[in-house]
Amino acid sequence: MYLSKSLYTRGLQCAKSLWLKKYKPEVLQVPTDRTVFETGDMVGDLACGLFAGGKEVPYEGTSFDEKIALTRRWIEEGVSDIYEASFSFQDIFVMVDILHINANGSMEINEVKSSTEVKDVYLHDASVQYYVLSGLGLDVKRTNIIHINNKYIRDEELELDKLFSIVDVSSEVKELQRDIPSRLANFEKMLENTQTPPPIDIGTHCFDPYECDAKSHCWAHIPLIAYLISQT
Ligand code: SF4
């Protein structure tokens, strides 16, 4: 089993979605609207300005192992802010949006969201990052969600410290640690079956917290049922 933080949160929403992503990705809809991703990238880049002067682990053109090695090297060299800092523990790979390293070596995880509030799914996202870093023996002192402050009205200059809200979610993230090992064990057991997805029916979870990209696959029978009912 090899999981990223997005696969972990996908599995939390629906284990079948995780199974399909792993073994039948061709049934998943490919997003055509790039706007969400572009907005997320733009917000992420702006948020790095809150921790100016850091180094960014390149996303393109480097393997997971290279990203991890580069992160380790920069930590050893004393770089205080690393964007997309990469780590792996127990086959879980995470990239921390902004890792801040204090002078005493303790660390702060910063997860950036283009939302205007902290949502539960973000806490799970941050919690798996904390799980990996603390599992590696790193001293994580604080975990933050950084999101857009929708009360901010821009004047002439863009003030990043006002544009963003930094919310300390350390206690929530620590609270979530207890359930992570059993969740991972459940995912591992479920993924041992490479032939058949878990028998999960459609429901409200198909839209919450995200609209699932397997909907056209799992909901394919719904129009037919509606048609059959209309004919009786
Ligand atoms: S469409 Fe619904 S049931 Fe199917 S994988 Fe997605 S969340 Fe699960």
Side-chain angles (χ1 to χ4, degrees):
M1 183 176 74
Y2 199 81
L3 287 185
S4 61
K5 60 180 184 180
S6 61
L7 285 175
Y8 176 79
T9 50
R10 177 184 279 268
L12 287 187
Q13 178 170 346
C14 175
K16 184 178 179 183
S17 168
L18 173 58
W19 190 95
L20 290 170
K21 180 75 177 174
K22 280 274 186 185
Y23 299 130
K24 227 174 169 186
E26 66 277 9
V27 305
L28 304 180
Q29 277 174 314
V30 179
T32 49
D33 183 3
R34 297 284 312 155
T35 319
V36 175
F37 297 107
E38 285 165 4
T39 304
D41 287 349
M42 194 182 71
V43 170
D45 288 346
L46 275 174
C48 287
L50 294 167
F51 301 83
K55 290 192 170 189
E56 179 167 8
V57 176
Y59 187 76
E60 305 282 352
T62 49
S63 66
F64 287 166
D65 286 345
E66 287 167 334
K67 292 183 208 305
I68 291 166
L70 194 53
T71 302
R72 191 184 308 127
R73 200 180 87 206
W74 285 345
I75 291 172
E76 286 166 2
E77 288 174 359
V79 175
S80 59
D81 293 291
I82 303 175
Y83 317 133
E84 306 298 345
S86 304
F87 303 91
S88 178
F89 173 66
Q90 292 180 343
D91 275 351
I92 310 167
F93 176 78
V94 297
M95 297 181 82
V96 178
D97 287 339
I98 303 169
L99 180 74
H100 178 69
I101 304 153
N102 297 309
N104 66 0
S106 66
M107 298 182 175
E108 296 176 13
I109 292 171
N110 292 284
E111 174 68 16
V112 181
K113 298 294 181 191
S114 51
S115 154
T116 55
E117 60 181 348
V118 175
K119 298 179 183 171
D120 279 354
V121 65
Y122 302 161
L123 299 176
H124 288 291
D125 189 328
S127 76
V128 78
Q129 296 176 52
Y130 181 94
Y131 181 78
V132 168
L133 269 67
S134 58
L136 291 169
L138 300 170
D139 179 16
V140 182
K141 277 281 179 276
R142 184 173 156 145
T143 305
N144 298 318
I145 302 288
I146 300 179
H147 66 76
I148 300 285
N149 170 17
N150 60 0
K151 304 232 168 28
Y152 172 60
I153 298 167
R154 181 179 175 167
D155 206 345
E156 278 180 25
E157 290 289 315
L158 179 64
E159 300 149 295
L160 291 178
D161 57 332
K162 293 186 179 144
L163 172 65
F164 289 106
S165 298
I166 302 179
V167 184
D168 182 353
V169 294
S170 304
S171 56
E172 293 92 332
V173 156
K174 281 185 187 156
E175 183 72 20
L176 289 169
Q177 297 304 298
R178 197 184 48 224
D179 295 330
I180 293 179
S182 60
R183 286 200 176 114
L184 292 173
N186 288 340
F187 290 160
E188 191 164 13
K189 195 162 184 300
M190 182 268 295
L191 291 171
E192 278 171 8
N193 185 342
T194 59
Q195 301 304 311
T196 319
I200 295 174
D201 211 345
I202 58 173
T204 53
H205 59 276
C206 301
F207 304 90
D208 183 24
Y210 301 114
E211 183 167 340
C212 181
D213 51 9
K215 247 182 58 213
S216 58
H217 174 72
C218 299
W219 289 65
H221 58 298
I222 293 300
L224 177 61
I225 289 173
Y227 171 77
L228 291 174
I229 290 172
S230 72
Q231 298 302 302
T232 58

